[in-house]
Amino acid sequence: MGFEKTWRWFGPDDAITLSDLRQMGIMGVVTALHHIPNGEVWPQEEIRRVKREIESYGMRWSVVESLPVSEGIKTGGPDRDRLIANYRTSLRNLGACGIDTVVYNFMPVLDWIRTNLKFITPTGGESMLFHFPTFVAFDVFILKRPGADRDYSPAMIAKAEAVFRAMTPTEQEALAHHIIVVSQGFIDGVVKGETGNYKEMFLRYLEQYRHIGPEQLRENLRYFLDAVIPEAEKAGIRMAIHPDDPPYPVLGLPRIVGTLEDIMEVMRLHPSESHGFTFCAGSLSARRDNDLPAMAAQLAPYIQFLHLRNTHWNDDDTFYESGHLTGDVDMVALMKVLLREQRRRRLTGRPDARMPLRPDHGIKILGDFHLATHPGYPLIGRLRGLAELSGLETALEREITAEESPAS
Ligand code: DNO
């Protein structure tokens, strides 16, 4: 059977069309109503319109990624009950339209972070890289976040200063713009590109978390889950929280979905079949002490959606997105754990045995350089990843079947 092969599609503005997806053998589409502002209700007519469009190409709307959680919910601000009520209505509407899997994350202010969106790989492709001292240079010397220097060791500050001094003012500005705007804008980030003073705006958002540590953020997540999970249960929806990327605190902001212990704790906040997890291999591997196959084995019953890709660490400070099979994550071992879980679900009749998988991100190669796509979402690089993962899956499925029914 294998996992349901899916693809993230950004809607009508995506340079990759639904008919392209169909040619690639995609079964399920992963998308969101990106045109609806964060915090507003997703109306049934809009959901139905997009769903019909996807179905007219012979595919299904497999996963919503993401139904974004507004800042007011994460900070526990005065408007949180209104925002949660809207979120519940959107879930009800999605359920009424037959959508059953919804991704969200609980990262304060900003989502994923890379310091170089155009890193040239050893073989000449274009990927994305994270260099910790460059990130510290952004925080301490470019953004000038108050108190930032207290968060790092003197040795790290010295490295960051050297990075900062080697940059031209244009490069400094581009780094800030990439982190705050470019890599967030297309996934409903809080700071949009229109504003010239995006750094000040961003600092104001950070400021709202001045008194919110991990415990309080977890409490705010519990409050959210207590309100939305019962609604998801009624609507027949499984919620799949996405891990933090990178999976540790940044810019003085708490991040609480990064390690096995974190995720188990989040799962305990509101036990329910509708409260699950997105196993994002790329995000989780942005922490060297995360052992992914072991994590997948522990978290298996909660996994509702798979984002598979790999990372490679050049040294303790630097990782880059190295493709799908190649890299430091043992993708063979990981895939095996996941396939065993799928088999277990099938045998026990669990309704969530399709386990949608998408090739997460990809390296730009060949014609990808001529297509305007979002950072991390090229056509050929992702398709290559999907092909590699599918090949691996086919081979491992056969191996697992043989192991379980040995020839007599
Ligand atoms: C970036 C992705 C994120 C992630 C969302 C899930 O490419 O890792 O957009 O899918 O944060 O809510």
Side-chain angles (χ1 to χ4, degrees), residues 8 65-66 103-105 111-112 187 242 307 358 361 377:
R8 192 172 194 180
E65 180 174 2
S66 298
V103 178
Y104 65 104
N105 69 70
D111 196 303
W112 63 308
I187 45 168
H242 187 282
H307 286 183
R358 72 172 176 85
H361 297 184
Y377 291 90

Side-chain angles (χ1 to χ4, degrees), residues 160-402:
E161 188 164 6
V163 169
F164 174 70
R165 288 195 189 288
M167 293 172 100
T168 64
T170 312
E171 287 167 342
Q172 293 162 8
E173 197 60 30
L175 176 64
H177 195 253
H178 280 162
I179 292 178
I180 299 174
V181 181
V182 179
S183 51
Q184 312 298 315
F186 72 98
I187 45 168
D188 311 302
V190 287
V191 182
K192 302 282 182 258
E194 310 85 64
T195 161
N197 57 358
Y198 59 91
K199 277 181 279 185
E200 288 92 283
M201 258 182 89
F202 185 67
L203 281 169
R204 277 201 296 280
Y205 274 108
L206 296 184
E207 172 66 20
Q208 291 176 3
Y209 287 84
R210 200 148 59 96
H211 302 296
I212 301 179
E215 285 310 316
Q216 185 59 49
L217 186 65
R218 211 170 285 116
E219 230 5 80
N220 294 349
L221 174 56
R222 182 206 301 278
Y223 188 94
F224 170 72
L225 292 171
D226 286 348
V228 302
I229 295 296
E231 195 67 55
E233 285 166 353
K234 274 188 266 164
I237 287 178
R238 287 180 285 272
M239 303 284 292
I241 191 167
H242 187 282
D244 305 333
D245 182 1
Y248 47 78
V250 289
L251 306 173
L253 298 167
R255 285 193 163 203
I256 54 170
V257 196
T259 63
L260 177 62
E261 294 69 41
D262 281 354
I263 299 158
M264 293 303 280
E265 206 165 334
V266 166
M267 290 299 118
R268 283 193 292 267
L269 290 177
H270 190 113
S272 159
E273 281 175 13
S274 286
H275 175 34
F277 180 61
T278 299
F279 194 93
C280 178
S283 305
L284 294 170
S285 62
R287 229 190 124 112
R288 272 184 126 167
D289 54 354
N290 277 344
D291 172 349
L292 269 65
M295 287 177 87
Q298 294 279 319
L299 296 168
Y302 306 110
I303 298 174
Q304 293 301 342
F305 186 26
L306 303 169
H307 286 183
L308 297 187
R309 72 176 157 85
N310 223 315
T311 48
H312 173 67
W313 286 81
N314 287 345
D315 54 55
D316 282 347
D317 289 335
T318 324
F319 70 80
Y320 72 91
E321 302 192 2
S322 54
H324 295 81
L325 296 192
T326 320
D328 297 347
V329 176
D330 184 345
M331 199 52 79
V332 178
L334 176 59
M335 178 77 89
K336 214 165 181 176
V337 170
L338 298 169
L339 281 170
R340 285 195 198 286
E341 172 60 16
Q342 187 185 41
R343 176 164 287 249
R344 199 162 23 243
R345 290 186 190 187
R346 279 209 303 268
L347 292 175
T348 55
R350 258 179 73 153
D352 53 353
R354 70 189 164 96
M355 296 181 74
L357 171 156
R358 72 172 176 85
D360 186 36
H361 297 184
I363 296 176
K364 266 185 162 178
I365 49 171
L366 309 170
D368 286 335
F369 291 96
H370 308 297
L371 206 59
T373 47
H374 295 301
Y377 291 90
L379 169 61
I380 301 174
R382 265 191 297 165
L383 181 57
R384 176 184 173 177
L386 180 63
E388 291 177 345
L389 292 166
S390 303
L392 176 62
E393 177 195 62
T394 307
L396 287 178
E397 278 237 286
R398 186 170 294 183
E399 196 180 297
I400 293 173
T401 311

